[in-house]
Amino acid sequence: MKSDAVKKGMQQAPHRSLFNALGMTKEEMERPLVGIVSSYNEIVPGHMNLDKIVNAVKQGVAMAGGTPVVFPAIAVCDGIAMGHVGMKYSLVTRDLIADSTECMAIAHQFDALVMVPNCDKNVPGLLMAAARLNVPTVFVSGGPMLAGHVHGQKRSLSSMFEAVGSYAAGTMTEEDVEEFENKVCPTCGSCSGMYTANSMNCLTEVLGMGLSGNGTIPAVYSERIKLAKHAGMQVMEMYRRNIRPRDIMTKEAILNALTVDMALGCSTNSMLHLPAIAHEIGFDFDITFANEISEKTPNLCHLAPAGPTYMEDLNEAGGVYAVMNELSKKNLLNLECMTVTGKTVGENIKNCVNRNPEVIRTIDNPYSQTGGLAVLTGNLAPDGGVVKRSAVCEEMMIHEGPARVFDCEEDAIDAIKGGKIVAGDVVVIRYEGPKGGPGMREMLNPTSAIAGMGLGSSVALITDGRFSGASRGASIGHVSPEAAVGGPIALVEEGDRIRINIPETKLELLVSEEELEKRRANWQPREPKVTTGYLARYASMVTSGNRGAILEIPKN
């Protein structure tokens, strides 16, 4: 056992004395030590039930012959952090989570791990840590929130943000907004649409790191507790068989994840997290892989915000495995990849039935023949920008309009809510990238304001920041290189014409190369917005969005 380094032999007598201080028995010390990484806290709705999940995991580990030991990971609620300085501290926690988990696991020599995350950065952060540590590991999340109900219709957090935009437009009253705020988030759990948290939890199943149902069983279902017990038991089986994360998270598994991402219509943030996870296994993930995979992968699901169905509906329809089974009918997945079950992907999904072809379209009747995401390139985004194609209305798939340029999110929101943005405009929000933000804030407030003001089918938004999974419309994020390093988005001037062509994956600034060269020669880097603390360190090490905003030691 790896944990023998802290338990066995005369030199480890001091270590054992500290285990005794914990109340650990000799019998417990003789078993494998299983670290349970808990993201439980009392500020994130997706995490308030994780104490129950953790207790169930502990029971499963103990039943299967291990000694469970809980330690924490942090979590930020993106919804609460949205629209103010707090959002700068969201994406950056992904690396804190990975780093702190690495520190705890190695310092205490755990033999195996069970990761208990739920929300946006916890899942990818812990997947990154699992790849680094490479000890037997299973994921079991807290599960999605049930959809709310307003006036007989299912609603979710994206509806809430758009209601604020409708209020600004004068189409909703204060009483209407209050009804939404009291009803759209009715239970604990990760917010009920195919937003980032649920996207990444679903992809744990595709990657092979979570058991069936991990992405879709609602947080308040007792089935989630049973899943957690099985996860605790399964990690002990993995330990006995020495099945490790790098046996599971291979290049082929990551390409499977990108394929299912396209079918599900996941959040654009998956195009930050999958490259970061790939980096941890030594796979250089080029985001333009997305277009090649999208061209052959049909979009089978239109979950909120792209459509009227929610995570609970996907669960009832058969879940992620049912989607994978549909894709396998056209040989779109590598079925030989190993998973935490000890079986291959093909063995796991072979008997999974699509119970509702309206929620999960069949492979022969997709929403579209191409996938949910697209990477756009051109002189405005030489290294790419990402759009959730499945959440863009038909009339905005090709669009040309004048640039309305803002150097921060707050100025753009003021202009949108002040009625200064009109049909046909292309809103450009820059200096919000990983380095320039710093922290690459999500732009749910401006996208929701555009939708709420009735401009969702006539106004585009382009940024070197990123979008919430709850965003919809012609919202193009991760534009790389970002403005802070002199990317072309820094050279856009008010009134410049911008052309977007999503079917052809093009993003063009209609300005001559000669004029751009003049602007480039006159461009000066901005003074850093933050010069102290963690954000300053992060900004000094972070790479651009097209590389997953991974951290690298600066070269002298």
Side-chain angles (χ1 to χ4, degrees):
M1 284 186 283
K2 187 174 183 179
S3 61
D4 285 350
V6 294
K7 296 188 305 186
K8 294 287 179 71
M10 184 54 64
Q11 291 297 319
Q12 280 65 43
H15 305 68
R16 290 193 296 275
S17 72
L18 293 167
F19 283 116
N20 285 328
L22 292 167
M24 193 175 287
T25 66
K26 183 178 178 181
E27 291 80 5
E28 286 174 302
M29 279 187 254
E30 290 173 347
R31 295 178 171 188
L33 287 184
V34 180
I36 302 173
V37 187
S38 171
S39 299
Y40 169 78
N41 62 51
E42 295 183 342
I43 188 64
V44 184
H47 293 228
M48 63 178 284
N49 65 319
L50 295 192
D51 55 340
K52 296 174 178 59
I53 302 296
V54 166
N55 284 336
V57 171
K58 289 172 69 175
Q59 290 178 55
V61 168
M63 282 191 289
T67 297
V69 181
V70 180
F71 65 90
I74 63 169
V76 164
C77 177
D78 278 22
I80 295 173
M82 194 70 66
H84 57 90
V85 68
M87 181 45 70
K88 293 178 184 288
Y89 286 87
S90 171
L91 178 61
V92 303
T93 63
R94 184 186 70 185
D95 297 273
L96 283 175
I97 291 160
D99 293 348
S100 61
T101 302
E102 174 191 353
C103 292
M104 287 291 287
I106 294 177
H108 302 102
Q109 292 291 287
F110 289 107
D111 297 298
L113 296 166
V114 180
M115 307 295 198
V116 187
N118 210 28
C119 289
D120 298 28
K121 310 312 165 306
N122 302 81
V123 183
L126 291 177
L127 284 165
M128 291 162 67
R132 286 183 204 172
L133 294 162
N134 204 34
V135 298
T137 303
V138 175
F139 276 68
V140 56
S141 74
M145 183 185 290
L146 294 177
H149 291 81
V150 183
H151 300 157
Q153 291 185 308
K154 287 185 176 181
R155 297 292 188 179
S156 63
L157 184 65
S158 53
S159 311
M160 184 69 255
F161 277 89
E162 290 178 15
V164 175
S166 297
Y167 174 78
T171 58
M172 287 184 76
T173 66
E174 188 172 344
E175 290 74 19
D176 292 332
V177 174
E178 184 176 6
E179 183 174 11
F180 269 72
E181 74 181 71
N182 287 327
K183 293 181 177 179
V184 296
C185 296
T187 73
C188 63
S190 48
C191 296
S192 56
M194 187 54 81
Y195 309 148
T196 306
N198 291 325
S199 295
M200 294 309 302
N201 280 320
C202 285
L203 294 185
T204 62
E205 292 188 50
V206 187
L207 286 168
M209 293 297 294
L211 298 173
S212 176
N214 186 50
T216 60
I217 297 171
V220 294
Y221 283 16
S222 299
E223 190 68 25
R224 175 67 55 179
I225 300 296
K226 293 162 67 176
L227 180 75
K229 291 175 183 176
H230 283 130
M233 290 186 272
Q234 190 58 37
V235 82
M236 294 309 300
E237 179 64 19
M238 292 177 68
Y239 171 76
R240 284 186 281 272
R241 294 178 58 180
N242 197 30
I243 300 173
R244 298 168 181 258
R246 287 185 207 164
D247 301 325
I248 297 169
M249 287 193 287
T250 60
K251 174 181 177 179
E252 292 74 22
I254 288 172
L255 294 179
N256 276 352
L258 186 53
T259 300
V260 178
D261 186 313
M262 294 296 174
L264 286 171
C266 289
S267 162
T268 52
N269 282 312
S270 61
M271 293 300 289
L272 283 174
H273 302 321
L274 286 176
I277 295 161
H279 177 73
E280 297 292 344
I281 66 165
F283 170 29
D284 186 11
F285 184 108
D286 182 338
I287 63 169
T288 58
F289 289 151
N291 290 337
E292 180 182 340
I293 288 177
S294 181
E295 280 304 310
K296 60 184 180 182
T297 306
N299 178 227
L300 304 181
C301 299
H302 265 191
L303 295 146
T309 53
Y310 294 81
M311 296 305 296
E312 62 204 64
D313 302 311
L314 178 59
N315 186 63
E316 295 302 318
V320 175
Y321 277 15
V323 175
M324 295 174 72
N325 196 36
E326 287 289 345
L327 294 174
S328 71
K329 294 174 184 177
K330 287 198 173 178
N331 300 315
L332 294 172
L333 297 175
N334 186 318
L335 302 181
E336 300 304 313
C337 293
M338 178 53 64
T339 72
V340 293
T341 65
K343 299 177 182 178
T344 65
V345 167
E347 290 172 315
N348 285 343
I349 70 173
K350 66 181 179 181
N351 295 318
C352 295
V353 177
N354 180 356
R355 302 190 192 98
N356 188 338
E358 292 303 310
V359 176
I360 303 171
R361 291 283 186 93
T362 64
I363 197 74
D364 297 318
N365 182 37
Y367 282 101
S368 65
Q369 293 295 337
T370 53
L373 298 180
V375 175
L376 311 186
T377 55
N379 69 342
L380 186 51
D383 295 334
V386 182
V387 63
K388 189 170 183 175
R389 172 163 46 188
S390 61
V392 180
C393 63
E394 187 61 35
E395 52 265 49
M396 289 300 290
M397 296 296 279
I398 298 174
H399 179 76
E400 182 181 319
R404 305 299 307 281
V405 183
F406 304 94
D407 286 352
C408 68
E409 177 188 5
E410 288 83 357
D411 290 350
I413 292 170
D414 288 345
I416 296 164
K417 292 185 176 178
K420 297 176 182 177
I421 302 301
V422 299
D425 284 348
V426 179
V427 176
V428 176
I429 306 178
R430 62 191 180 189
Y431 295 99
E432 290 284 8
K435 191 177 293 289
M440 203 178 188
R441 289 196 286 180
E442 287 186 341
M443 302 290 161
L444 180 56
N445 275 353
T447 59
S448 298
I450 287 169
M453 297 284 284
L455 297 170
S457 61
S458 60
V459 169
L461 195 156
I462 297 171
T463 181
D464 53 7
R466 61 194 180 93
F467 295 109
S468 165
S471 292
R472 61 187 175 99
S475 305
I476 302 161
H478 310 190
V479 169
S480 301
E482 63 174 294
V485 298
I489 193 171
L491 309 180
V492 182
E493 294 183 358
E494 186 79 9
D496 286 348
R497 304 290 292 182
I498 292 175
R499 180 181 297 148
I500 300 163
N501 190 322
I502 295 173
E504 294 185 6
T505 65
K506 294 294 183 184
L507 181 60
E508 299 286 347
L509 177 62
L510 303 182
V511 173
S512 70
E513 189 56 39
E514 292 78 14
E515 174 62 21
L516 289 177
E517 281 301 321
K518 289 179 186 176
R519 296 181 188 180
R520 194 172 286 115
N522 292 325
W523 179 80
Q524 294 292 325
R526 301 288 177 91
E527 288 294 318
K529 294 178 184 175
V530 179
T531 57
T532 60
Y534 178 59
L535 281 184
R537 296 198 302 276
Y538 180 88
S540 72
M541 298 175 68
V542 72
T543 62
S544 64
N546 69 299
R547 297 189 58 205
I550 61 172
L551 300 187
E552 289 185 336
I553 298 171
K555 296 176 182 176
N556 293 327

